[in-house]
Amino acid sequence: MAQTKTKSRFIGWFAPIILLILWQLSIVTGIIRFRYFPSPVAVAQAFLRLANSGRFYGNLSHTVIVTLVAWIIATILGVLFGLLIGLSLPVWKGVMASVDVLRSLPIIALVPVGVIIFGFTLRLEIVIATYAALWPILVNTVSGVRQTRSELLDIGRIIRMSRVERVWKLILPSALPLILVGLRLGLGLSLVLAIVTEIVGTPNGIGYALINAEQALHPAQMFVYILVTGVIGYLLNGLFIFSARRILSAEKSAEKN
Amino acid sequence: MGERSRNDPVNGSLLGQGDSVFEVEDLTVSLQTGGVDRTILSSLSFTVANNEFLSVVGPSGTGKTTLLRAMAGLIPYSGSIKFRGSQLSGPAEGVALVFQDYVNSLLRWRTVGRNVSLGVEGKLPRDECDQRVTEALEVVGLSKFKDSYPWELSGGMQQRVQIARALAMNPQVLLFDEPFGSLDAMTRESLQDELLRVRAHYQTTCVFITHDIDEAVYLGDRLVLLAGSPATIKYQLDIPLSDERNQINTKESNEFLRLRREVHGEMRRVHGTNQDEV
Ligand SMILES: Nc1ncnc2c1ncn2[C@@H]1O[C@H](COP(=O)(O)OP(=O)(O)O)[C@@H](O)[C@H]1O
Ligand SMILES: [Mg+2]
């Protein structure tokens, strides 16, 4: 068991390392010859230089904070409205068509609209990132709520639970797995859209630094920021899965006593 | 009606001998299917006596579940359902329901103990609540599994959890909707015996729906046959078997065989086919 795991880990790292080596070789040997295509070594050097500058961390934390703030707002709004829509058949019938239209609009197309309204501000960034994260959270909450088994709802009525109790003890826990899926999708989207607004013009964050590096003709730096984006996405996702597991097992151990 | 109800020291004094727990009169239920009102149950009249075990049999799709949901106060009806003398207008205190689908009736995120406490938590003082749970789990033989999760248990055990949850509420009436229908034959028989034992312990009135005629006769004090579209009561039968029932002796007794033959005959007559398992 343990051996297979180590093995698959090894294989997981194997491909990117080979790729990096090939990349380096093809540049050193001159097989690839673009003017602004850096070698992995150049990227690594750029990273070390950046890592020693304060600006780098400022941009990094800006993007992470915006992502998290937007995601938290989206979570509150999404779960709240998701519950509202999922719990009431008339509301569901009334708004679901609009929800489906709104969430199908490509969010990127809305960025220019946001720029006109808010300018290149922090508010723009948070609004766009929140909007992006809102839909998967809302839609998943709605379907989670609506998928609550009829047996559970009947039991709630027979036990004569209050409406709040029914939501809290039966409906929300039933919907939790789907809500968590929505939260995870939302987190990824909120990061992507934060970076997009920075690329478009908000003067802060990873996206902004990336564009600056481009305009300064610093391709190695650009690659550093791209990789950093990937790492942030990976870590946020990992952190989310970790806390989701903790929440679920805390729920379990709380039940045990 | 069986012997049990006559010697009932607990509920007997409360209601008086032979008083009805449920009085159903002219019960008609219509449900909407695809925008069209369909009459499912038409003009049913029957009573359920205190501490009686009433079996309800009928082909599937007849409306047995619908009848039980009406008696649980879950769906609107016309006619009259009186529970303990007053008209039913929603779920009543003292009525508990056990579903066939135990997997979806239990809270998978709660332990067995916390599933059983669902109906009493917050309504009783903490220690009384714990006591109810402990007793109910003991009666169904699951004390050791209090801290397990439902999905860690076998189907038969999960169904016992559901029964324990109903018992913990100390109901006067237990409504069962084909509770053993998805269990294998062996588990089913042991749960039948367990149900008889549990019922003797708690002195609960039971309405038990099944499409298995043997089960209906084996468990019941009385049997009601539901059939037709819309469903009506086609036939009622007293089951004068002794209270000491067991799988081998009872099911091989002449009386049991006579009763089951009679019910099978009635079923065939109203349904037009041989209905062993419908
Ligand atoms: N919620 C509902 N809405 C509309 N029709 C229903 C509903 N539940 C059951 N029915 C219909 O009522 C009839 C009786 O169903 P049911 O009471 O479940 O039968 P049984 O339990 O005897 O198998 C079936 O034809 C079924 O399609
Ligand atoms: Mg049914």
Side-chain angles (χ1 to χ4, degrees), chain B residues 48-219:
Chain B
V48 184
N50 188 35
N51 204 28
E52 183 178 32
F53 195 117
L54 177 70
S55 296
V56 179
V57 290
S60 44
T62 314
K64 303 186 296 296
T65 299
T66 306
L67 171 61
L68 215 63
R69 285 170 57 82
M71 292 172 78
L74 292 170
I75 48 174
Y77 60 88
S78 60
S80 155
I81 302 177
K82 281 192 176 141
F83 174 62
R84 294 204 278 209
S86 51
Q87 198 68 32
L88 203 67
S89 61
E93 171 99 57
V95 179
L97 187 60
V98 174
F99 296 94
Q100 172 174 2
D101 186 353
Y102 45 83
V103 173
N104 288 308
S105 304
L106 296 173
L107 282 53
R108 64 175 180 277
W109 55 91
R110 282 191 175 212
T111 59
V112 166
R114 297 256 303 143
N115 261 287
V116 174
S117 74
L118 187 75
V120 284
E121 64 192 20
K123 298 196 172 101
L124 299 172
R126 181 76 191 254
D127 48 341
E128 198 175 329
C129 184
D130 289 348
Q131 199 186 320
R132 290 269 190 100
V133 172
T134 309
E135 187 187 358
L137 282 175
E138 204 175 293
V139 168
V140 301
L142 287 179
S143 300
K144 273 191 278 177
F145 298 93
K146 189 176 180 218
D147 295 326
S148 304
Y149 284 89
W151 37 267
E152 296 173 319
L153 309 181
S154 70
M157 286 156 92
Q158 290 186 47
Q159 194 54 289
R160 277 161 32 198
V161 175
Q162 212 196 154
I163 293 172
R165 176 172 66 196
L167 291 173
M169 294 163 70
N170 226 343
Q172 191 180 0
V173 185
L174 269 170
L175 307 175
F176 293 93
D177 189 6
E178 307 198 35
F180 309 145
S182 49
L183 300 172
D184 63 271
M186 290 258 286
T187 311
R188 187 175 193 158
E189 290 190 348
S190 69
L191 274 170
Q192 288 168 359
D193 287 346
E194 200 160 312
L195 178 58
L196 289 178
R197 224 173 23 72
V198 162
R199 174 178 170 248
H201 178 94
Y202 278 93
Q203 306 280 351
T204 315
T205 306
C206 295
V207 178
F208 189 99
I209 283 180
T210 177
H211 58 228
D212 179 344
I213 291 171
D214 284 22
E215 183 171 76
V217 173
Y218 180 65
L219 294 173

Side-chain angles (χ1 to χ4, degrees), chain A residues 98-164:
Chain A
S98 330
V99 166
D100 280 333
V101 170
L102 280 176
R103 79 184 170 112
S104 317
L105 292 178
I107 300 156
I108 302 226
L110 293 177
V111 173
V113 180
V115 172
I116 282 195
I117 299 173
F118 299 106
F120 289 117
T121 57
L122 179 63
R123 206 182 328 157
L124 167 73
E125 222 182 317
I126 288 180
V127 166
I128 295 285
T130 302
Y131 184 85
L134 180 67
W135 298 112
I137 298 173
L138 180 110
V139 169
N140 275 42
T141 305
V142 171
S143 29
V145 167
R146 290 184 58 80
Q147 276 170 29
T148 311
R149 296 292 309 201
S150 65
E151 284 89 349
L152 289 188
L153 298 176
D154 282 350
I155 286 163
R157 289 178 60 198
I158 286 168
I159 288 173
R160 296 185 303 156
M161 286 180 166
S162 67
R163 207 176 157 77
V164 174

